[in-house]
Structures are given as C-alpha cells and as structure tokens.
Amino acid sequence: MRTTTAGRESTAEFDSASASALMLILVLVGLIALAPSVTNAQSTATTTQNSGVTSPEEEEPPVMDNQIFGHILFDQLEGRTNGPDNEFRWDGEGWIGTDMNKLWFKSEGFAEHGVATDGDTEALYDRPIPYLRYFDFQAGVRYDLDSNPGMTWGAVGIEGLAPYFFEFAPTFYFSDRGRFAGKVTGWYDLLLTNRLIMQPEFEVNFYNTNDPSRGIGSGLSDLDTGVRIRYEISRKFAPYIGFAYTQTFGETARFTREEGGIVNDPRFIFGTRVWY
C-alpha cells in the first residue's frame, strides 16, 4: 500500500510538472510567434515615419487646382456685305481664373460708316454649377457701349454644353430703370473634316419696354443668325466664309425703318476666327 500510495504521489507530481512544462512551452511558442509581427509593425512604422508617407486614413483631402489660366477667343471678326452696304461685325470673349472661379469678358457689336451700333460689353463672374457638369453660372454687369446712349444692366445667366454638344447661353438682364431684357445664343461645331468645320449659330434678344434712344422695341427685338464654314490652318487661326441673316421685329423694326435701316438683311460674310 505504501508503495502504491508513493507511486500515485509520484505520478501526480509528474502530471503537475508536465502540465507546467507544457504551459511554459505554449507561452514561449506564443511569444516567438508574436515577435515577427511586432518587429514588422515597428519596422513599418519606422519606415513610414522616416519616409514621410502617411496612411490613406491620415492623408489630407485633395485640394482644388488653384492654378490660374486664361483664354481669349474672337469667334467673329468679319465683314458683312449685301452689295451696296458693308458692315463690320465683332464677337469675342475671354476669361481668366481657376477651374472653379473665373472672370469672363464678352463683347459684340456692329460698325458701319464709322458708327458702332448694337454694341455691348459684359464682365461676369463664372462658377461651375453643382450637378450640372457642363454648365457654369454667370453673374455680373453689361454696358451697352456704342454710338447710341449707353446703358448699364445687371446680368445673370448660364453657359455650357447642352446634349449633342450644342453650346447654349441664355442670359437675363435688369436695370435700375425698371427695364428687363433677355438674350439667348447657341451654336454648334459640325466637323466636315478635321480642319473644315461648319458652324451654325443664332442670337435672339428680348426687351420688356421700348427704348427709342437705342432703337429698341418691346417684345422679341431682333434675330441674328448665320452659317460659317471655317478652315483651321491651326487651331488658333481659321479664316471662314458664310451667310448671315439679321431681322428686327415689332417696334424695333419700326424704329429701324424710321432710321432708314433694313429690317430683313441677308448678307455674305467673310472673316477670321482667332484665339489665344
């Protein structure tokens, strides 16, 4: 019995020692397994810190491109003739600014026998419209600058690329004299070849009241439309020929007749399109 009891005590001591040894081995194995991960993590942190590269979570949000660009385009620098009468037409625009904020300048008008008519110049702040990818909001001032009495307007409008690549620019004008006006322009570039391009375009103007000093009547005032075919010797220089048709309506047509002008005026045109 004493031998059996001693054997059991010896076996229990052995089992206890074995369990302790097994637990120690497992702890050592765990430490050995964790050692490379800790080393790699420390190495990665050290490398990241030394290289200055931050994780995606630590990166700052991208900033807008604030580089300033500029562009000037004279889409129409042309002579118009119907045989007996000749006139000069200009229509140009330019902008300077960043991708998000631009300052636009626009100018157009006619000159005949040294007299400028139907001329106006605009200065507009321009910013892209959220959720309308290809349209910009524009607001600013317009000044009617020609040989007639000048007039200042506030201007609000949009300009951009409509579906099917049709350029579209409606603008609303208002003055402190209770006058309102609207202008809608549109044009389209149809590539006949890579260098030969046909461009139909139109412009219509509306006014809410008569202005005899400038020969303007209320309602639909005038239409200026035409088709130009240009050959791009380079992207920045393209001579063109075409056909233009101008018509005045309503009271504007009456003012035009009283001044000896032409209400329905088709003309052959030739000119140059340049941009920088």
Side-chain angles (χ1 to χ4, degrees):
M1 290 295 293
R2 292 186 59 150
T3 303
T4 303
T5 301
R8 290 179 179 175
E9 290 176 353
S10 176
T11 301
E13 290 175 357
F14 177 78
D15 293 343
S16 177
S18 299
S20 300
L22 180 60
M23 290 183 63
L24 179 60
I25 291 171
L26 291 175
V27 170
L28 291 175
V29 170
L31 291 174
I32 292 171
L34 289 174
S37 300
V38 173
T39 303
N40 292 336
Q42 291 176 342
S43 177
T44 302
T46 304
T47 303
T48 300
Q49 184 176 4
N50 293 337
S51 64
V53 178
T54 58
S55 63
E57 293 77 10
E58 297 173 340
E59 290 181 350
E60 296 181 355
V63 297
M64 295 298 179
D65 187 354
N66 290 320
Q67 187 173 354
I68 296 176
F69 299 95
H71 179 72
I72 298 175
L73 167 66
F74 279 96
D75 197 45
Q76 298 175 17
L77 286 175
E78 64 191 29
R80 295 187 178 188
T81 180
N82 59 5
D85 293 325
N86 303 309
E87 64 182 4
F88 174 75
R89 162 74 172 174
W90 80 89
D91 186 348
E93 63 185 23
W95 56 261
I96 184 170
T98 64
D99 288 344
M100 297 299 295
N101 301 286
K102 295 184 180 70
L103 179 62
W104 278 72
F105 297 96
K106 300 180 181 180
S107 180
E108 65 172 357
F110 293 88
E112 184 176 3
H113 306 303
V115 178
T117 60
D118 198 22
D120 64 67
T121 301
E122 300 179 50
L124 305 167
Y125 169 73
D126 176 285
R127 188 176 177 84
I129 301 174
Y131 307 110
L132 286 177
R133 179 178 299 179
Y134 302 110
F135 275 91
D136 287 3
F137 168 79
Q138 296 179 335
V141 295
R142 159 186 157 182
Y143 186 72
D144 292 340
L145 180 62
D146 52 32
S147 302
N148 298 314
M151 186 167 181
T152 304
W153 303 82
V156 178
I158 62 173
E159 179 171 345
L161 191 64
Y164 302 102
F165 303 101
F166 182 77
E167 296 281 350
F168 185 60
T171 307
F172 173 74
Y173 303 98
F174 55 94
S175 76
D176 57 356
R177 304 177 188 176
R179 298 180 184 275
F180 301 97
K183 177 166 66 177
V184 180
T185 60
W187 63 97
Y188 181 80
D189 280 346
L190 177 62
L191 273 65
L192 304 178
T193 69
N194 287 335
R195 292 182 178 270
L196 191 63
I197 300 169
M198 182 169 67
Q199 184 191 65
E201 62 87 21
F202 73 91
E203 175 184 316
V204 291
N205 288 280
F206 307 85
Y207 294 88
N208 74 319
T209 185
N210 293 340
D211 185 358
S213 66
R214 296 190 57 81
I216 293 172
S218 61
L220 176 59
S221 174
D222 60 88
L223 163 70
D224 183 79
T225 186
V227 176
R228 295 167 181 78
I229 298 178
R230 68 176 184 267
Y231 182 79
E232 292 189 344
I233 297 175
S234 71
R235 292 293 306 278
K236 297 183 177 181
F237 181 77
Y240 62 82
I241 59 173
F243 172 81
Y245 177 77
T246 302
Q247 181 172 354
T248 54
F249 303 90
E251 289 298 302
T252 303
R254 182 174 67 83
F255 291 138
T256 301
R257 293 190 188 94
E258 291 176 352
E259 295 173 356
I262 303 173
V263 173
N264 305 305
D265 192 9
R267 299 197 177 214
F268 170 76
I269 58 178
F270 55 93
T272 302
R273 180 181 189 267
V274 294
W275 64 268
Y276 176 76

